[in-house]
Amino acid sequence: MRPQMMEIRRNVPHQASVRLRAVVDGDRPLLFSLRRDSTLQSRLLTVPDATDDAALDAWIERRRSETGGAFLIIEDQASGKAAGYAQITQVHRRNATGYGGLVLAEQTRGLGLGRAALVELALHASRGLGLRKLMAEIDIDNGASVGLHLSLGYREVGLLEAHFTDANGMTRDVLLFERRLEDE
């Protein structure tokens, strides 16, 4: 049992470090892979209408050009490789609020990159976009994401019953979270 614990420690960095950066053409394979993973997309509360190359290129362009929002690559500083993406959507300028979220490639999960990325996303929302609050909608069964958000100062503000219908037609309950950013 002890050797297994040592192996886990060896694979998890003491403190993960990420950089949020603009999407470049070289990120297309990663973004396409994440978007084409229907199980992952359902967990993220979305069902893409189409996942052919043209549809995914259009999705990337829509996300990059959304007024007031952000669509950024999460880059692992240790490896210099793209690990996933972070986004801020549904920005309301007058109220200075938006919805934040992130997704990591399977092989990069559990390394602390999500925590580091969510911290950076809050800083970008506050300092870069002038937002005072980030919100998040999370599937009630996504315990890892719920725990991460709570540990970083988000608070649960509601339950949206039967709020999301997944690709299989099943309705899912969704928790609503918020985090005030005034101290960023």
Side-chain angles (χ1 to χ4, degrees):
M1 183 144 181
R2 188 158 171 74
Q4 185 178 20
M5 286 180 63
M6 288 174 37
E7 182 177 317
I8 291 171
R9 287 186 187 141
R10 192 171 42 241
N11 290 332
V12 177
H14 176 66
Q15 183 170 349
S17 178
V18 300
R19 174 174 79 112
L20 299 182
R21 62 164 175 79
V23 174
V24 297
D25 283 343
D27 298 320
R28 289 175 74 238
L30 173 66
L31 292 172
F32 282 23
S33 170
L34 294 171
R35 190 70 169 173
R36 286 180 172 141
D37 183 336
S38 62
T39 302
L40 176 62
Q41 290 301 306
S42 281
R43 194 158 191 85
L44 298 172
L45 306 176
T46 189
V47 178
D49 292 327
T51 57
D52 59 273
D53 286 1
L56 295 178
D57 279 331
W59 165 71
I60 291 169
E61 189 53 39
R62 269 193 321 277
R63 296 298 309 116
R64 288 199 304 200
S65 63
E66 181 178 336
T67 304
F71 185 60
L72 303 163
I73 292 296
I74 301 168
E75 183 179 284
D76 177 3
Q77 291 285 73
S79 69
K81 294 182 179 177
Y85 65 87
Q87 60 186 4
I88 299 172
T89 63
Q90 302 177 55
V91 172
H92 191 282
R93 295 305 322 156
R94 178 179 294 182
N95 292 330
T97 62
Y99 282 82
L102 60 92
V103 60
L104 293 170
E106 186 173 356
Q107 68 273 18
T108 65
R109 295 181 202 145
L111 302 175
L113 299 175
R115 172 176 295 282
L118 202 51
V119 168
E120 290 299 316
L121 190 63
L123 289 171
H124 181 75
S126 176
R127 297 175 184 170
L129 300 178
L131 301 183
R132 63 178 185 79
K133 182 190 292 186
L134 271 181
M135 296 176 291
E137 291 182 0
I138 303 171
D139 185 298
I140 197 166
D141 292 326
N142 191 344
S145 185
V146 168
L148 175 62
H149 282 77
L150 289 172
S151 75
L152 290 174
Y154 282 78
R155 67 183 190 100
E156 183 182 330
V157 294
L159 170 67
L160 305 169
E161 294 178 354
H163 185 67
F164 173 70
T165 304
D166 68 19
N168 299 317
M170 300 294 298
T171 57
R172 309 284 306 149
D173 291 345
V174 174
L175 295 171
L176 180 62
F177 292 87
E178 70 175 5
R179 178 175 174 204
R180 295 183 63 168
L181 303 173
E182 280 88 2
D183 297 330
E184 298 301 321

PDB file of all heavy atoms in Angstrom, residues 83-106:
ATOM      1  N   ALA A  83      -4.012  22.149 -21.535  1.00  0.00           N
ATOM      2  CA  ALA A  83      -4.646  21.128 -20.706  1.00  0.00           C
ATOM      3  C   ALA A  83      -6.170  21.168 -20.806  1.00  0.00           C
ATOM      4  O   ALA A  83      -6.836  20.222 -20.405  1.00  0.00           O
ATOM      5  CB  ALA A  83      -4.229  21.320 -19.247  1.00  0.00           C
ATOM      6  N   GLY A  84      -6.728  22.261 -21.313  1.00  0.00           N
ATOM      7  CA  GLY A  84      -8.174  22.414 -21.397  1.00  0.00           C
ATOM      8  C   GLY A  84      -8.510  23.851 -21.732  1.00  0.00           C
ATOM      9  O   GLY A  84      -7.685  24.587 -22.276  1.00  0.00           O
ATOM     10  N   TYR A  85      -9.738  24.246 -21.411  1.00  0.00           N
ATOM     11  CA  TYR A  85     -10.128  25.633 -21.662  1.00  0.00           C
ATOM     12  C   TYR A  85     -10.980  26.157 -20.524  1.00  0.00           C
ATOM     13  O   TYR A  85     -11.599  25.406 -19.768  1.00  0.00           O
ATOM     14  CB  TYR A  85     -10.849  25.800 -23.000  1.00  0.00           C
ATOM     15  CG  TYR A  85     -12.185  25.120 -23.144  1.00  0.00           C
ATOM     16  CD1 TYR A  85     -13.368  25.748 -22.730  1.00  0.00           C
ATOM     17  CD2 TYR A  85     -12.297  23.853 -23.715  1.00  0.00           C
ATOM     18  CE1 TYR A  85     -14.601  25.132 -22.877  1.00  0.00           C
ATOM     19  CE2 TYR A  85     -13.520  23.234 -23.861  1.00  0.00           C
ATOM     20  CZ  TYR A  85     -14.671  23.871 -23.440  1.00  0.00           C
ATOM     21  OH  TYR A  85     -15.897  23.264 -23.581  1.00  0.00           O
ATOM     22  N   ALA A  86     -10.984  27.482 -20.393  1.00  0.00           N
ATOM     23  CA  ALA A  86     -11.805  28.192 -19.408  1.00  0.00           C
ATOM     24  C   ALA A  86     -12.616  29.222 -20.169  1.00  0.00           C
ATOM     25  O   ALA A  86     -12.189  29.713 -21.215  1.00  0.00           O
ATOM     26  CB  ALA A  86     -10.922  28.868 -18.366  1.00  0.00           C
ATOM     27  N   GLN A  87     -13.787  29.525 -19.642  1.00  0.00           N
ATOM     28  CA  GLN A  87     -14.627  30.490 -20.334  1.00  0.00           C
ATOM     29  C   GLN A  87     -15.455  31.305 -19.348  1.00  0.00           C
ATOM     30  O   GLN A  87     -15.729  30.862 -18.236  1.00  0.00           O
ATOM     31  CB  GLN A  87     -15.540  29.797 -21.335  1.00  0.00           C
ATOM     32  CG  GLN A  87     -16.472  28.789 -20.741  1.00  0.00           C
ATOM     33  CD  GLN A  87     -17.262  28.031 -21.806  1.00  0.00           C
ATOM     34  OE1 GLN A  87     -17.070  28.212 -22.993  1.00  0.00           O
ATOM     35  NE2 GLN A  87     -18.169  27.176 -21.365  1.00  0.00           N
ATOM     36  N   ILE A  88     -15.794  32.492 -19.802  1.00  0.00           N
ATOM     37  CA  ILE A  88     -16.754  33.342 -19.098  1.00  0.00           C
ATOM     38  C   ILE A  88     -17.794  33.717 -20.136  1.00  0.00           C
ATOM     39  O   ILE A  88     -17.470  34.263 -21.195  1.00  0.00           O
ATOM     40  CB  ILE A  88     -16.092  34.588 -18.493  1.00  0.00           C
ATOM     41  CG1 ILE A  88     -15.019  34.180 -17.474  1.00  0.00           C
ATOM     42  CG2 ILE A  88     -17.149  35.491 -17.852  1.00  0.00           C
ATOM     43  CD1 ILE A  88     -14.184  35.328 -16.956  1.00  0.00           C
ATOM     44  N   THR A  89     -19.044  33.382 -19.856  1.00  0.00           N
ATOM     45  CA  THR A  89     -20.140  33.599 -20.795  1.00  0.00           C
ATOM     46  C   THR A  89     -21.263  34.376 -20.112  1.00  0.00           C
ATOM     47  O   THR A  89     -21.216  34.634 -18.915  1.00  0.00           O
ATOM     48  CB  THR A  89     -20.700  32.252 -21.303  1.00  0.00           C
ATOM     49  OG1 THR A  89     -21.242  31.531 -20.185  1.00  0.00           O
ATOM     50  CG2 THR A  89     -19.625  31.416 -21.985  1.00  0.00           C
ATOM     51  N   GLN A  90     -22.268  34.707 -20.906  1.00  0.00           N
ATOM     52  CA  GLN A  90     -23.476  35.364 -20.406  1.00  0.00           C
ATOM     53  C   GLN A  90     -23.147  36.576 -19.534  1.00  0.00           C
ATOM     54  O   GLN A  90     -23.708  36.766 -18.456  1.00  0.00           O
ATOM     55  CB  GLN A  90     -24.359  34.376 -19.639  1.00  0.00           C
ATOM     56  CG  GLN A  90     -24.779  33.168 -20.451  1.00  0.00           C
ATOM     57  CD  GLN A  90     -25.578  32.192 -19.638  1.00  0.00           C
ATOM     58  OE1 GLN A  90     -26.588  32.568 -19.037  1.00  0.00           O
ATOM     59  NE2 GLN A  90     -25.142  30.946 -19.602  1.00  0.00           N
ATOM     60  N   VAL A  91     -22.219  37.386 -20.005  1.00  0.00           N
ATOM     61  CA  VAL A  91     -21.792  38.560 -19.248  1.00  0.00           C
ATOM     62  C   VAL A  91     -22.876  39.624 -19.308  1.00  0.00           C
ATOM     63  O   VAL A  91     -23.389  39.951 -20.374  1.00  0.00           O
ATOM     64  CB  VAL A  91     -20.458  39.099 -19.798  1.00  0.00           C
ATOM     65  CG1 VAL A  91     -20.101  40.436 -19.161  1.00  0.00           C
ATOM     66  CG2 VAL A  91     -19.352  38.081 -19.569  1.00  0.00           C
ATOM     67  N   HIS A  92     -23.218  40.139 -18.152  1.00  0.00           N
ATOM     68  CA  HIS A  92     -24.169  41.247 -18.038  1.00  0.00           C
ATOM     69  C   HIS A  92     -23.354  42.469 -17.615  1.00  0.00           C
ATOM     70  O   HIS A  92     -22.859  42.535 -16.481  1.00  0.00           O
ATOM     71  CB  HIS A  92     -25.245  40.921 -16.999  1.00  0.00           C
ATOM     72  CG  HIS A  92     -26.384  41.880 -17.005  1.00  0.00           C
ATOM     73  ND1 HIS A  92     -26.309  43.123 -16.434  1.00  0.00           N
ATOM     74  CD2 HIS A  92     -27.626  41.779 -17.532  1.00  0.00           C
ATOM     75  CE1 HIS A  92     -27.457  43.750 -16.585  1.00  0.00           C
ATOM     76  NE2 HIS A  92     -28.276  42.962 -17.250  1.00  0.00           N
ATOM     77  N   ARG A  93     -23.156  43.407 -18.544  1.00  0.00           N
ATOM     78  CA  ARG A  93     -22.267  44.547 -18.294  1.00  0.00           C
ATOM     79  C   ARG A  93     -22.761  45.446 -17.160  1.00  0.00           C
ATOM     80  O   ARG A  93     -21.969  45.849 -16.313  1.00  0.00           O
ATOM     81  CB  ARG A  93     -22.097  45.392 -19.566  1.00  0.00           C
ATOM     82  CG  ARG A  93     -21.400  44.715 -20.700  1.00  0.00           C
ATOM     83  CD  ARG A  93     -20.020  44.120 -20.443  1.00  0.00           C
ATOM     84  NE  ARG A  93     -19.138  44.866 -19.579  1.00  0.00           N
ATOM     85  CZ  ARG A  93     -18.134  44.310 -18.894  1.00  0.00           C
ATOM     86  NH1 ARG A  93     -17.894  43.031 -18.967  1.00  0.00           N
ATOM     87  NH2 ARG A  93     -17.364  45.033 -18.128  1.00  0.00           N
ATOM     88  N   ARG A  94     -24.026  45.776 -17.152  1.00  0.00           N
ATOM     89  CA  ARG A  94     -24.525  46.690 -16.117  1.00  0.00           C
ATOM     90  C   ARG A  94     -24.346  46.097 -14.719  1.00  0.00           C
ATOM     91  O   ARG A  94     -23.932  46.782 -13.788  1.00  0.00           O
ATOM     92  CB  ARG A  94     -25.988  47.034 -16.346  1.00  0.00           C
ATOM     93  CG  ARG A  94     -26.532  47.956 -15.236  1.00  0.00           C
ATOM     94  CD  ARG A  94     -27.942  48.332 -15.449  1.00  0.00           C
ATOM     95  NE  ARG A  94     -28.001  49.150 -16.663  1.00  0.00           N
ATOM     96  CZ  ARG A  94     -29.093  49.695 -17.136  1.00  0.00           C
ATOM     97  NH1 ARG A  94     -30.222  49.536 -16.517  1.00  0.00           N
ATOM     98  NH2 ARG A  94     -29.072  50.412 -18.230  1.00  0.00           N
ATOM     99  N   ASN A  95     -24.665  44.820 -14.583  1.00  0.00           N
ATOM    100  CA  ASN A  95     -24.536  44.171 -13.273  1.00  0.00           C
ATOM    101  C   ASN A  95     -23.134  43.638 -13.014  1.00  0.00           C
ATOM    102  O   ASN A  95     -22.837  43.218 -11.890  1.00  0.00           O
ATOM    103  CB  ASN A  95     -25.550  43.030 -13.149  1.00  0.00           C
ATOM    104  CG  ASN A  95     -26.964  43.551 -13.094  1.00  0.00           C
ATOM    105  OD1 ASN A  95     -27.223  44.650 -12.607  1.00  0.00           O
ATOM    106  ND2 ASN A  95     -27.886  42.765 -13.611  1.00  0.00           N
ATOM    107  N   ALA A  96     -22.290  43.638 -14.031  1.00  0.00           N
ATOM    108  CA  ALA A  96     -20.904  43.173 -13.919  1.00  0.00           C
ATOM    109  C   ALA A  96     -20.836  41.729 -13.408  1.00  0.00           C
ATOM    110  O   ALA A  96     -20.080  41.402 -12.499  1.00  0.00           O
ATOM    111  CB  ALA A  96     -20.081  44.114 -13.045  1.00  0.00           C
ATOM    112  N   THR A  97     -21.644  40.870 -14.040  1.00  0.00           N
ATOM    113  CA  THR A  97     -21.680  39.459 -13.668  1.00  0.00           C
ATOM    114  C   THR A  97     -21.478  38.597 -14.920  1.00  0.00           C
ATOM    115  O   THR A  97     -21.699  39.045 -16.042  1.00  0.00           O
ATOM    116  CB  THR A  97     -23.020  39.077 -13.022  1.00  0.00           C
ATOM    117  OG1 THR A  97     -24.079  39.292 -13.968  1.00  0.00           O
ATOM    118  CG2 THR A  97     -23.286  39.881 -11.759  1.00  0.00           C
ATOM    119  N   GLY A  98     -21.080  37.372 -14.702  1.00  0.00           N
ATOM    120  CA  GLY A  98     -20.936  36.424 -15.789  1.00  0.00           C
ATOM    121  C   GLY A  98     -20.848  35.011 -15.233  1.00  0.00           C
ATOM    122  O   GLY A  98     -20.710  34.811 -14.021  1.00  0.00           O
ATOM    123  N   TYR A  99     -20.954  34.044 -16.134  1.00  0.00           N
ATOM    124  CA  TYR A  99     -20.855  32.633 -15.758  1.00  0.00           C
ATOM    125  C   TYR A  99     -19.481  32.114 -16.143  1.00  0.00           C
ATOM    126  O   TYR A  99     -19.059  32.267 -17.294  1.00  0.00           O
ATOM    127  CB  TYR A  99     -21.928  31.804 -16.468  1.00  0.00           C
ATOM    128  CG  TYR A  99     -23.288  31.952 -15.841  1.00  0.00           C
ATOM    129  CD1 TYR A  99     -24.102  33.034 -16.140  1.00  0.00           C
ATOM    130  CD2 TYR A  99     -23.761  31.005 -14.939  1.00  0.00           C
ATOM    131  CE1 TYR A  99     -25.347  33.182 -15.559  1.00  0.00           C
ATOM    132  CE2 TYR A  99     -25.008  31.137 -14.353  1.00  0.00           C
ATOM    133  CZ  TYR A  99     -25.797  32.229 -14.665  1.00  0.00           C
ATOM    134  OH  TYR A  99     -27.026  32.363 -14.085  1.00  0.00           O
ATOM    135  N   GLY A 100     -18.780  31.520 -15.193  1.00  0.00           N
ATOM    136  CA  GLY A 100     -17.467  30.963 -15.441  1.00  0.00           C
ATOM    137  C   GLY A 100     -17.507  29.453 -15.455  1.00  0.00           C
ATOM    138  O   GLY A 100     -18.350  28.831 -14.795  1.00  0.00           O
ATOM    139  N   GLY A 101     -16.605  28.878 -16.211  1.00  0.00           N
ATOM    140  CA  GLY A 101     -16.493  27.429 -16.239  1.00  0.00           C
ATOM    141  C   GLY A 101     -15.183  27.005 -16.858  1.00  0.00           C
ATOM    142  O   GLY A 101     -14.488  27.805 -17.492  1.00  0.00           O
ATOM    143  N   LEU A 102     -14.835  25.748 -16.648  1.00  0.00           N
ATOM    144  CA  LEU A 102     -13.618  25.225 -17.239  1.00  0.00           C
ATOM    145  C   LEU A 102     -13.767  23.739 -17.494  1.00  0.00           C
ATOM    146  O   LEU A 102     -14.639  23.076 -16.922  1.00  0.00           O
ATOM    147  CB  LEU A 102     -12.398  25.504 -16.351  1.00  0.00           C
ATOM    148  CG  LEU A 102     -12.385  24.920 -14.937  1.00  0.00           C
ATOM    149  CD1 LEU A 102     -11.719  23.559 -14.914  1.00  0.00           C
ATOM    150  CD2 LEU A 102     -11.626  25.869 -14.029  1.00  0.00           C
ATOM    151  N   VAL A 103     -12.921  23.246 -18.371  1.00  0.00           N
ATOM    152  CA  VAL A 103     -12.863  21.818 -18.664  1.00  0.00           C
ATOM    153  C   VAL A 103     -11.414  21.440 -18.903  1.00  0.00           C
ATOM    154  O   VAL A 103     -10.669  22.190 -19.530  1.00  0.00           O
ATOM    155  CB  VAL A 103     -13.761  21.435 -19.869  1.00  0.00           C
ATOM    156  CG1 VAL A 103     -13.352  22.163 -21.121  1.00  0.00           C
ATOM    157  CG2 VAL A 103     -13.755  19.939 -20.100  1.00  0.00           C
ATOM    158  N   LEU A 104     -11.037  20.299 -18.359  1.00  0.00           N
ATOM    159  CA  LEU A 104      -9.686  19.778 -18.533  1.00  0.00           C
ATOM    160  C   LEU A 104      -9.729  18.452 -19.270  1.00  0.00           C
ATOM    161  O   LEU A 104     -10.658  17.655 -19.073  1.00  0.00           O
ATOM    162  CB  LEU A 104      -9.008  19.562 -17.179  1.00  0.00           C
ATOM    163  CG  LEU A 104      -8.688  20.805 -16.364  1.00  0.00           C
ATOM    164  CD1 LEU A 104      -8.242  20.419 -14.968  1.00  0.00           C
ATOM    165  CD2 LEU A 104      -7.622  21.640 -17.059  1.00  0.00           C
ATOM    166  N   ALA A 105      -8.701  18.201 -20.078  1.00  0.00           N
ATOM    167  CA  ALA A 105      -8.551  16.900 -20.717  1.00  0.00           C
ATOM    168  C   ALA A 105      -8.385  15.842 -19.623  1.00  0.00           C
ATOM    169  O   ALA A 105      -7.821  16.123 -18.560  1.00  0.00           O
ATOM    170  CB  ALA A 105      -7.341  16.912 -21.642  1.00  0.00           C
ATOM    171  N   GLU A 106      -8.886  14.660 -19.878  1.00  0.00           N
ATOM    172  CA  GLU A 106      -8.901  13.604 -18.861  1.00  0.00           C
ATOM    173  C   GLU A 106      -7.528  13.369 -18.226  1.00  0.00           C
ATOM    174  O   GLU A 106      -7.418  13.251 -17.006  1.00  0.00           O
ATOM    175  CB  GLU A 106      -9.421  12.308 -19.472  1.00  0.00           C
ATOM    176  CG  GLU A 106      -9.597  11.212 -18.456  1.00  0.00           C
ATOM    177  CD  GLU A 106     -10.277   9.973 -19.004  1.00  0.00           C
ATOM    178  OE1 GLU A 106     -10.700   9.983 -20.176  1.00  0.00           O
ATOM    179  OE2 GLU A 106     -10.378   8.995 -18.255  1.00  0.00           O
TER     180      GLU A 106
END
